[in-house]
Amino acid sequence: MKQIIQSIEAEIKSLFENEGTGHDWYHIDRVRNMALHIQEKEGGDREIVELAALLHDISDHKFNGGDFSKGGIIAKEILEKFHVSSTKILEIVEIVNNVSYKGSGVEDSMHSLEGRIVQDADRMDAVGAIGIARAFAYGGYAQRPIFDPEVLPQNHQSTQEYVENRSHSINHFYEKLLLLKDRMHTNTGRKLAEERSMFLESYLRQFYYEWFGENDTGFWKIK
C-alpha cells in the first residue's frame, strides 16, 4: 500500500503543483499531513484517510462547473488504476463527494470517522493565516472585490444559494471561515480550529481599522 500511496501522490502532485487559486499541491499536502495528525489522535483507517486526503480536490465543484459527484468518479478511476481494494474505493469516493462545505445553513453529510477526519483537515486549511491567504487568492481568481461595506454576508440555506453567491472576499470570512471552528467533528480538530479562528478575528479587527480608521464601530462583529 505504501507504494500505491506514493504513486497516487506523484500523480496528484503533477496535476496540482502549478495551481494558483489556493487549491494547489501544497494545500493537498497540508490537508494530508493534518488528516494523518488527527487520525493518530482520533483513530480510523490510516490508509483511507491518507488516500482520501490526497484525492479530496481531484475535481473541485468550484472548477468543474458545479458538479459535486465528478470528484468521486475521477478518484475511483485513479484508485482502480492502482488496484486499491473495492471496499476502500467505496469509502474514499464517499469522502471525496461529501468533503466540500455547502453553506452555513446546510448540514454536513459525512458519516464515517475517516471522512470526518479528512473534512476537519480540509477545513483547518481554510482557517488561520493560510486560510486568509487562500481566501484572497481564490477571490482574485473569481474576480471578487476584496471588500464592499454595502454588501453584508448571508446565511445560505441551500447548496445552490451558496455556490451561486458572488459576494466579496471579506464576506467569505462570515459565510464560511469563522463558522468552521464550530463545524469541526473531532476533538483534535476543534481545539486546533479554535486557536486559528482567533487569528481570523484579529485580522478582521486590523482590516476594518485600516479601512474605516477611527470610524470603525465594531464592523468586524457583524453576523
Side-chain angles (χ1 to χ4, degrees):
M1 180 58 75
K2 182 178 180 180
Q3 186 175 356
I4 291 173
I5 291 173
Q6 289 175 340
S7 297
I8 292 175
E9 174 185 335
E11 183 159 332
I12 297 300
K13 186 174 182 179
S14 69
L15 291 171
F16 286 90
E17 59 184 351
N18 294 316
E19 205 274 350
T21 72
H23 299 76
D24 56 8
W25 160 248
Y26 294 110
H27 161 68
I28 293 168
D29 194 36
R30 287 192 302 271
V31 171
R32 185 256 298 268
N33 291 333
M34 178 59 71
L36 291 177
H37 171 72
I38 296 174
Q39 186 273 328
E40 288 179 357
K41 305 286 187 182
E42 304 285 343
D45 187 304
R46 181 180 176 89
E47 292 173 355
I48 290 176
V49 167
E50 185 164 12
L51 288 169
L54 285 170
L55 291 163
H56 83 277
D57 265 350
I58 191 62
S59 185
D60 191 298
H61 70 93
K62 294 186 289 296
F63 309 111
N64 69 14
D67 188 342
F68 283 91
S69 65
K70 191 172 181 179
I73 293 171
I74 298 175
K76 184 173 183 289
E77 292 173 353
I78 293 173
L79 293 165
E80 287 177 340
K81 180 171 69 174
F82 291 103
H83 308 293
V84 176
S85 73
S86 58
T87 302
K88 278 183 166 48
I89 289 175
L90 285 174
E91 295 190 51
I92 293 166
V93 166
E94 182 180 0
I95 294 170
V96 172
N97 281 342
N98 290 285
V99 72
S100 293
Y101 180 84
K102 297 180 174 68
S104 57
V106 181
E107 291 186 10
D108 296 321
S109 56
M110 195 69 79
H111 303 298
S112 69
L113 172 59
E114 292 80 8
R116 293 192 289 270
I117 288 171
V118 173
Q119 192 167 55
D120 277 8
D122 186 34
R123 290 175 171 180
M124 200 75 66
D125 212 51
V127 187
I130 290 176
I132 292 170
R134 294 182 66 230
F136 289 118
Y138 178 76
Y141 163 82
Q143 297 185 320
R144 294 179 177 178
I146 292 174
F147 179 53
D148 182 347
E150 300 300 320
V151 180
L152 298 181
Q154 300 178 40
N155 181 21
H156 302 109
Q157 296 300 315
S158 71
T159 301
Q160 182 176 359
E161 184 182 350
Y162 175 69
V163 300
E164 291 179 353
N165 178 50
R166 293 293 179 268
S167 188
H168 52 85
S169 291
I170 287 294
N171 269 357
H172 192 59
F173 283 65
Y174 298 96
E175 295 168 350
K176 180 182 179 181
L177 308 189
L178 288 166
L179 306 178
L180 293 180
K181 65 181 176 62
D182 295 322
R183 299 284 291 263
M184 294 290 172
H185 304 287
T186 65
N187 289 332
T188 306
R190 282 189 288 272
K191 183 177 179 180
L192 293 170
E194 184 74 32
E195 178 182 314
R196 295 190 185 194
S197 194
M198 290 173 64
F199 184 81
L200 294 180
E201 294 183 7
S202 176
Y203 174 83
L204 286 173
R205 291 189 189 96
Q206 181 66 23
F207 181 93
Y208 291 132
Y209 175 75
E210 294 179 15
W211 188 285
F212 294 109
E214 298 299 330
N215 295 319
D216 174 21
T217 57
F219 196 90
W220 71 275
K221 296 180 179 179
I222 59 176
K223 301 296 184 183

